[in-house]
């Protein structure tokens, strides 16, 4: 119904991320309606890696009242999940073996648009929690183009993080608490 409504405005334009985001936003509308009707709290699902790269949809998977894992990098979410399974399987094994995906289009995988999470998280930890300069990270052996790409995405996604639900702080530099950068005035970290 949403695509049908937008069809006249989208006439002649190829399908792209816009349509994928509509799907995520519709899920957000449904979850918020259920939350409202049944007096429940929607938990936002974005982790620190996704929120850093803007790999999240405003008013979609970012909706909710509490961002429980927003201060955990993707690799830490997997570690915590494995820990939760140590005595009893609470999280299905398939979660650990299938490639991470936003599941907004067929056969989509996070690594289609993001670096592998172990590499991405290593760069993000240095940028965010250790406050290292991108040049210092490159000197540690990380690819210069990768570090520049991650730094730029981190900066460009600040406007989304300003609108996210409050998160639980578990590291020295959580988004919204301890790390804030300007959204306007063409701010860009030197790369």
């Amino acid at each position: 119904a949403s695509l049908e409504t937008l069809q006249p405005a989208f006439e002649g334009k190829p399908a792209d991320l816009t349509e994928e985001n509509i799907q995520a936003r519709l899920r957000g509308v449904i979850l918020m309606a259920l939350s409202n009707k049944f007096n429940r709290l929607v938990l936002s699902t974005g982790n620190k890696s996704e929120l850093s790269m803007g790999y999240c949809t405003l008013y979609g998977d970012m909706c909710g009242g509490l961002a429980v894992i927003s201060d955990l990098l993707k690799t830490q979410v997997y570690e915590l999940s494995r820990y939760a399974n140590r005595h009893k399987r609470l999280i299905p094994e398939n979660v650990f073996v299938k490639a991470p995906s936003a599941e907004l289009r067929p056969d989509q995988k996070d690594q289609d648009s993001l670096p592998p999470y172990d590499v991405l998280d290593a760069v993000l930890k240095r940028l965010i929690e250790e406050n290292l300069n991108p040049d210092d990270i490159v000197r540690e052996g990380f690819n210069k183009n990768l570090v520049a790409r991650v730094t730029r995405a981190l900066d460009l996604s600040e406007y989304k993080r300003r609108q996210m639900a409050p998160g639980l702080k578990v590291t020295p530099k959580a988004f919204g608490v301890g790390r804030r950068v300007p959204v306007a005035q063409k701010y860009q970290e030197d790369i």
Side-chain angles (χ1 to χ4, degrees):
S2 296
L3 291 175
E4 194 173 291
T5 300
L6 290 165
Q7 196 277 330
F10 289 0
E11 187 74 42
K13 301 279 186 197
D16 59 15
L17 190 60
T18 305
E19 287 78 7
E20 293 177 22
N21 285 336
I22 290 170
Q23 182 184 162
R25 288 186 178 111
L26 289 173
R27 283 196 302 243
V29 166
I30 291 167
L31 288 172
M32 293 307 291
L34 292 168
S35 167
N36 193 212
K37 183 60 76 178
F38 297 103
N39 196 29
R40 300 292 188 258
L41 181 68
V42 175
L43 303 179
S44 179
T45 60
N47 60 62
K48 198 172 199 173
S49 306
E50 295 162 346
L51 294 165
S52 294
M53 299 298 289
Y55 200 72
C56 45
T57 304
L58 274 175
Y59 323 117
D61 57 327
M62 289 184 73
C63 79
L66 183 63
V68 180
I69 60 173
S70 65
D71 198 27
L72 293 174
L73 296 165
K74 183 78 160 194
T75 52
Q76 293 172 315
V77 172
Y78 278 108
E79 288 173 30
L80 183 62
S81 299
R82 286 272 186 212
Y83 183 80
N85 274 3
R86 71 191 183 286
H87 298 301
K88 180 181 177 188
R89 181 175 291 166
L90 302 170
I91 300 164
E93 187 62 25
N94 191 41
V95 169
F96 302 106
V97 295
K98 75 174 192 169
S101 172
E103 298 180 349
L104 297 174
R105 66 176 179 268
D107 301 317
Q108 180 182 21
K109 294 176 184 52
D110 291 3
Q111 285 190 5
D112 295 341
S113 24
L114 296 175
Y117 280 111
D118 58 335
V119 176
L120 174 61
D121 288 356
V123 173
L124 289 171
K125 183 171 179 56
R126 286 162 175 78
L127 283 170
I128 301 166
E129 295 170 21
E130 298 172 14
N131 202 30
L132 290 180
N133 179 295
D135 291 333
D136 293 334
I137 298 169
V138 171
R139 279 193 280 281
E140 285 187 27
F142 290 90
N143 177 281
K144 182 177 182 169
N145 292 333
L146 170 75
V147 173
R149 177 179 165 212
V150 171
T151 302
R152 180 160 168 70
L154 180 64
D155 292 343
L156 290 175
S157 299
E158 182 66 21
Y159 82 98
K160 287 184 175 184
R161 292 188 296 272
R162 290 283 181 98
Q163 299 178 65
M164 74 183 220
L168 303 178
K169 183 180 184 324
V170 296
T171 69
K173 294 276 177 98
F175 293 129
V177 181
R179 184 189 187 280
R180 297 204 40 137
V181 298
V183 174
Q185 300 178 13
K186 296 186 180 182
Y187 170 81
Q188 184 176 348
E189 182 126 0
D190 290 333
I191 301 173

